[in-house]
């Protein structure tokens, strides 16, 4: 039922594009003009919304209509031809690629970034570091109270684990990578969106949130810039400094058999020392010369990758920084 609603919404987007075409707006005419839809894993809404803002500012006759869904629905939208673009945490399988090619569809797909999964707690929580073993025991319900994990002087009670929503790729990552397909404990709860996870942790000192790193960066200039300022920023070959939002505390995470724990900064994602991360892929079935292929080229190119660098995730292409040495 849920996927049917999603596909209906995507069909509605296609109908809107058709209406726009009948009113005289170019549709699928060039790489920089027309209307296209894209299905995106909801975990990456923050990232995609900025990509679209800059693309549409640079190319005013272009209109990219996003629909934020779970990953399964995003893949289905490609296979059902409801959209020609998707953002997911996995590439299409060979079977899926062969199916699309059998339907005379071109398939372009590439890794565009690496996203860290951040663990956040309320600032009143004294915890600073968590190791993967402790995290697994919390997720499975073996550890249910904060005084079993950290010296408790702030009156903390039962641990509440907060995810964005039940079908999210973040949930799948934790279940598959940490629990080996096992079940979560009774202390795990789902919200409606990543921003709800942030708000829940900021308001509840007993909560620990599981969230993509792009949702917690405090110095993400794109949130304060208008489209013009953002477009000008991605043209510059300068550095990007990121800090985390002070309304929450970002935990350091220690991998198995490691002494040092790390926060999800881009450098530690790059080196692999931060242990919780997943790839982000962009997939397009748009033909060369179409608006879908144009947006795909933008996101995978210099400007699109610079935008990702500004969000706190690690872009596939690392751009050099200008450094003055005295």
């Amino acid at each position: 039922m849920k996927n049917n609603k999603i596909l209906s919404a995507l069909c509605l987007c296609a109908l809107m594009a058709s209406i726009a075409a009948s009113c005289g707006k170019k549709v699928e005419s060039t790489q920089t003009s027309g209307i296209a839809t894209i299905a995106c894993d909801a975990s990456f809404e923050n990232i995609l919304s900025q990509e679209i803002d800059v693309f549409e500012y640079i190319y005013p006759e272009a209109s990219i209509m996003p629909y934020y869904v779970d990953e399964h629905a995003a893949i289905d939208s490609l296979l059902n031809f409801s959209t020609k673009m998707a953002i997911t945490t996995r590439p299409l399988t060979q079977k899926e690629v062969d199916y699309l090619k059998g339907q005379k569809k071109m398939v372009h797909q590439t890794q565009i970034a690496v996203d860290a999964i951040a663990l956040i707690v309320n600032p009143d929580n004294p915890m600073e570091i968590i190791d993967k073993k402790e995290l697994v025991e919390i997720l499975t319900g073996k550890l249910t109270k904060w005084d079993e994990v950290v010296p408790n002087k702030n009156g903390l009670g039962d641990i509440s684990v907060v995810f964005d929503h039940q079908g999210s790729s973040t949930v799948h990552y934790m279940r598959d990578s940490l629990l080996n397909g096992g079940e979560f404990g009774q202390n795990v709860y789902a919200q409606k969106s990543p921003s709800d996870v942030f708000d829940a942790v900021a308001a509840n000192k007993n909560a620990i949130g599981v969230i993509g790193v792009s949702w917690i960066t405090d110095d993400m200039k794109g949130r304060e810039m208008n489209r013009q300022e953002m477009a000008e920023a991605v043209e510059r070959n300068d550095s990007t400094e990121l800090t985390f939002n002070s309304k929450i505390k970002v935990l350091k995470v220690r991998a198995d058999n490691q002494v040092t724990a790390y926060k999800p900064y881009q450098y530690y994602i790059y080196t692999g020392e931060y242990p919780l991360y997943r790839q982000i892929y962009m997939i397009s079935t748009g033909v060369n010369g179409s608006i879908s292929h144009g947006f795909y080229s933008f996101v995978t190119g210099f400007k699109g990758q610079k935008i990702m660098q500004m969000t706190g995730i690690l872009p596939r292409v690392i751009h050099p920084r200008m450094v003055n040495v005295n």
Side-chain angles (χ1 to χ4, degrees), residues 92-104:
L92 295 177
T93 65
Q94 190 59 51
K95 182 178 179 180
E96 290 165 340
V97 171
D98 291 342
Y99 169 74
L100 288 169
K101 288 184 176 180
Q103 301 298 314
K104 310 299 182 184

Side-chain angles (χ1 to χ4, degrees), residues 170-183:
T170 307
V171 170
H172 293 317
Y173 173 87
M174 287 298 190
R175 180 182 287 127
D176 296 342
S177 299
L178 270 70
L179 306 189
N180 296 316
E183 295 299 320

Side-chain angles (χ1 to χ4, degrees), residues 6 32 40 47-48 76 107 141 164 190 210 213 228 284 295 308:
I6 290 167
T32 58
C40 178
I47 301 163
L48 181 61
D76 277 354
V107 178
D164 41 10
V210 185
V213 71
Q228 179 180 350
S284 172
F295 186 61
M308 291 188 183

Side-chain angles (χ1 to χ4, degrees), residues 14 16 29 75 109 128 130 137-138 174 180 188 239 261 264 283:
M16 292 171 66
S29 55
I75 296 291
Q109 59 179 341
E128 300 288 343
I130 188 170
E137 292 181 337
I138 289 173
M174 287 298 190
N180 296 316
V188 177
S239 63
I283 309 166

